[in-house]
């Protein structure tokens, strides 16, 4: 979906499509999270919508900063594989305290991000968390660290579900969690690289 959006959608339609896919993806993501949806059709629909969102966002970033998307994709895969290895070797463990701290941090960052987005929508300016300044760079770094640690929480939840003998359909929820974290991590890395290139 991301590749098709990148190739087929004209530049003039990228921004409206980006915003529409973001809002639809946010709504679907909230429904899936709170209702614990395990229906493959709904989850695949979410994946397609996120693909459209990523394709439009990536094309917009690439238009301004040539080569940024490849850098962000490589960095995202690198972080994901590193966290998978750290979890598999038990260098990082998802203890109850670790899980509470990481989920609390992710929830706090989500609230701050939504508030900043609303400020941007009503004022027309990026706001201090997305304007490319020092605070924006620090905020993106914090988001990247928390997104990376969320993989550990999700990996542990998947393993716990297997040990508990949950039906196989719950594997879709595990895949959904990993997808959400990959999208978040990629976008934050994309933003961070754009901030650094502007400097």
């Amino acid at each position: 979906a991301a590749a098709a959006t990148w190739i087929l959608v004209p530049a003039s339609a990228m921004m409206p499509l980006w915003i529409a896919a973001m809002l639809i993806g946010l709504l679907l993501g909230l429904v899936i999270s709170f209702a614990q949806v395990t229906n493959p059709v709904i989850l695949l629909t979410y994946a397609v919508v996120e693909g459209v969102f990523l394709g439009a966002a990536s094309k917009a970033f690439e238009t301004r900063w040539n080569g940024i998307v490849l850098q962000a994709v490589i960095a995202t895969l690198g972080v994901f594989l590193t966290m998978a290895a750290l979890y598999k070797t038990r260098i990082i463990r998802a203890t109850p305290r670790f899980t509470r701290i990481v989920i609390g941090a992710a929830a706090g960052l989500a609230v701050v991000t939504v508030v900043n987005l609303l400020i941007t929508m009503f004022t027309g300016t990026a706001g201090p968390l997305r304007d490319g300044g020092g605070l924006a760079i620090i905020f993106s770094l914090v988001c990247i660290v928390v997104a990376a640690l969320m993989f550990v929480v999700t990996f542990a939840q998947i393993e716990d579900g297997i040990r508990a003998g949950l039906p196989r359909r719950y594997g879709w929820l595990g895949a959904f969690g990993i997808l959400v974290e990959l999208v978040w991590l990629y976008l934050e890395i994309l933003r961070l690289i754009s901030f650094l290139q502007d400097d």
Side-chain angles (χ1 to χ4, degrees):
T5 301
W6 180 298
I7 295 167
L8 300 175
V9 177
S12 59
M14 280 297 176
M15 188 58 72
L17 189 62
W18 178 355
I19 293 169
M22 179 184 67
L23 294 174
I24 294 168
L26 179 61
L27 180 62
L28 270 176
L30 290 172
V31 169
I32 292 167
S33 297
F34 289 110
Q36 295 290 284
V37 174
T38 59
N39 185 320
V41 174
I42 295 173
L43 290 158
L44 287 171
T45 301
Y46 173 79
V48 170
V49 170
E50 287 300 288
V52 172
F53 168 63
L54 288 182
S58 297
K59 187 68 177 281
F61 273 83
E62 185 72 18
T63 300
R64 183 165 176 188
W65 297 281
N66 186 41
I68 191 173
V69 169
L70 181 60
Q71 295 174 56
V73 168
I74 291 170
T76 301
L77 291 176
V79 171
F80 175 75
L81 293 174
T82 299
M83 296 312 296
L86 291 173
Y87 178 77
K88 187 68 176 173
T89 57
R90 298 301 189 253
I91 293 173
I92 298 181
R93 295 174 182 271
T95 64
R97 184 181 180 197
F98 173 91
T99 301
R100 283 195 305 272
I101 291 171
V102 173
I103 290 176
L109 288 172
V111 170
V112 171
T113 301
V114 169
V115 169
N116 191 77
L117 179 62
L118 291 173
I119 291 170
T120 302
M121 289 172 65
F122 286 109
T123 65
T125 59
L129 298 181
R130 298 300 188 199
D131 64 1
L135 185 59
I137 290 172
I138 292 169
F139 183 72
S140 279
L141 286 169
V142 170
C143 287
I144 288 167
V145 170
V146 174
L149 294 176
M150 276 298 298
F151 287 125
V152 175
V153 174
T154 303
F155 294 153
Q157 289 172 342
I158 292 169
E159 282 195 341
D160 290 345
I162 293 169
R163 277 194 293 270
L166 289 178
R168 287 181 62 87
R169 70 177 185 274
Y170 284 94
W172 286 98
L173 275 179
F176 166 74
I178 290 173
L179 177 61
V180 169
E181 289 144 20
L182 279 170
V183 170
W184 183 25
L185 178 65
Y186 170 74
L187 289 174
E188 289 302 335
I189 290 174
L190 200 60
R191 285 192 185 100
L192 179 62
I193 295 171
S194 73
F195 296 157
L196 296 176
Q197 287 195 4
D198 273 348
D199 288 345

